[in-house]
Amino acid sequence: LSILINKDQNNKKHNVWLFSNAGRTALSFSVNGVEGKRYQLYVFDMDSRLVAQASIRNRRTTVVNNISKGDYLFEVFLNDQQVENGRLTVK
């Protein structure tokens, strides 16, 4: 599994990482941003259907399982404010 990420919006205050570990079929999501806050990740297919979501606190990492090969859009929110978005391709 390899994941290519293109960020359309890159926020310097909130360092967002989306990555896969070698040999794993999951997407890891991590944020280094505002202390004590909870971040939301939403992953949509190209038809704008929600296929995955995750919620983590600052400086934590979580794993999003069952991401099939294909193209997706992602958005990361802090409260109701979008802090990053972009496109990811799972190969």
Side-chain angles (χ1 to χ4, degrees):
L1 180 73
S2 69
I3 298 174
L4 303 173
I5 298 164
N6 295 312
K7 293 183 178 179
D8 295 330
Q9 177 183 354
N10 195 353
N11 193 316
K12 293 184 183 353
K13 184 178 177 182
H14 311 276
N15 293 319
V16 175
W17 293 284
L18 297 168
F19 56 93
S20 65
N21 293 340
R24 297 205 45 194
T25 57
L27 173 68
S28 296
F29 167 50
S30 180
V31 177
N32 186 3
V34 180
E35 193 63 43
K37 295 294 184 178
R38 183 171 292 277
Y39 290 82
Q40 300 284 333
L41 166 71
Y42 298 97
V43 180
F44 300 93
D45 66 14
M46 297 311 285
D47 292 324
S48 299
R49 289 185 297 247
L50 182 66
V51 295
Q53 72 181 71
S55 176
I56 61 168
R57 291 213 177 269
N58 182 52
R59 296 189 181 173
R60 300 280 193 253
T61 301
T62 192
V63 174
V64 179
N65 292 304
N66 302 322
I67 299 289
S68 302
K69 292 181 180 181
D71 293 323
Y72 300 93
L73 302 173
F74 73 89
E75 296 179 350
V76 178
F77 285 85
L78 173 60
N79 300 322
D80 289 332
Q81 178 185 5
Q82 185 181 71
V83 295
E84 283 201 2
N85 68 358
R87 182 177 176 150
L88 57 99
T89 302
V90 180
K91 295 183 177 184

